Amino acid sequence: MKLNVASLLAVTVALALAGCSKEPAAPTAAAPEAAPATQPAAEPHPMPAAPTESVDLSGIAKADGGKTVAEVFAEKDQLTGQPVVVRGKVVKSNPDIMGKNWLHVRDGSGAEGTNDLTVTTAGAVPEVGDTVVVKGVLSLNKDFGMGYQYDVIVEDAEVTVE
């Protein structure tokens, strides 16, 4: 069976990003040459339900001149395209996916859906539990395909481990 380059790329990206989801990836079969135009919309990428490995989020102070994770979500429309600074702890990390390192950062603020900030960086990958200061530009409604959609994301951030 022949696979075209797009099908191979889609399978590769799906397998690479599978480590970022809450549940293990289902086995994939070879993709057909052309997908039907009536496929249902992909489900958005799930947020982690709880901090990985019981990361203690108590006592995290807001960065000087920065925002809390909850404030970033609350002010997202005003902050889009603007640089933001956030201090928090890494609760999940996935290195070298699509040429970037992917982090989930929390600071104990916000409710479910507004308490986990996704960050991409090209720098070193901090460990889960590390306190970090994230500096980067806020983007909204990013769709990377394959169901990986982010309402709020800080891309290409400078991440400093404290």
Side-chain angles (χ1 to χ4, degrees):
M1 173 188 300
K2 283 184 162 179
L3 290 178
N4 63 27
V5 174
S7 296
L8 287 173
L9 180 59
V11 170
T12 301
V13 169
L15 291 173
L17 289 175
C20 189
S21 67
K22 289 194 290 187
E23 298 177 17
T28 57
E33 287 294 320
T38 59
Q39 286 185 345
E43 184 177 320
H45 175 66
M47 301 291 270
T52 304
E53 298 179 21
S54 301
V55 174
D56 180 12
L57 299 177
S58 62
I60 300 172
K62 184 166 44 171
D64 291 338
K67 303 280 185 189
T68 66
V69 171
E71 289 171 340
V72 169
F73 276 88
E75 301 170 25
K76 65 184 179 183
D77 293 330
Q78 296 84 11
L79 294 173
T80 187
Q82 302 297 314
V84 294
V85 177
V86 175
R87 175 180 284 122
K89 287 196 179 182
V90 176
V91 297
K92 190 171 194 177
S93 69
N94 293 297
D96 199 25
I97 297 173
M98 298 189 312
K100 299 178 182 188
N101 300 318
W102 295 71
L103 309 174
H104 288 269
V105 175
R106 293 185 178 187
D107 62 3
S109 67
E112 189 65 34
T114 63
N115 65 346
D116 187 287
L117 187 61
T118 302
V119 176
T120 66
T121 183
V125 181
E127 298 289 323
V128 169
D130 283 349
T131 299
V132 295
V133 174
V134 172
K135 297 177 183 178
V137 175
L138 188 74
S139 295
L140 299 181
N141 304 315
K142 295 295 282 197
D143 186 347
F144 293 95
M146 303 296 292
Y148 291 89
Q149 302 169 340
Y150 299 89
D151 293 335
V152 176
I153 187 170
V154 178
E155 294 186 280
D156 302 320
E158 176 187 321
V159 177
T160 305
V161 177
E162 294 190 319

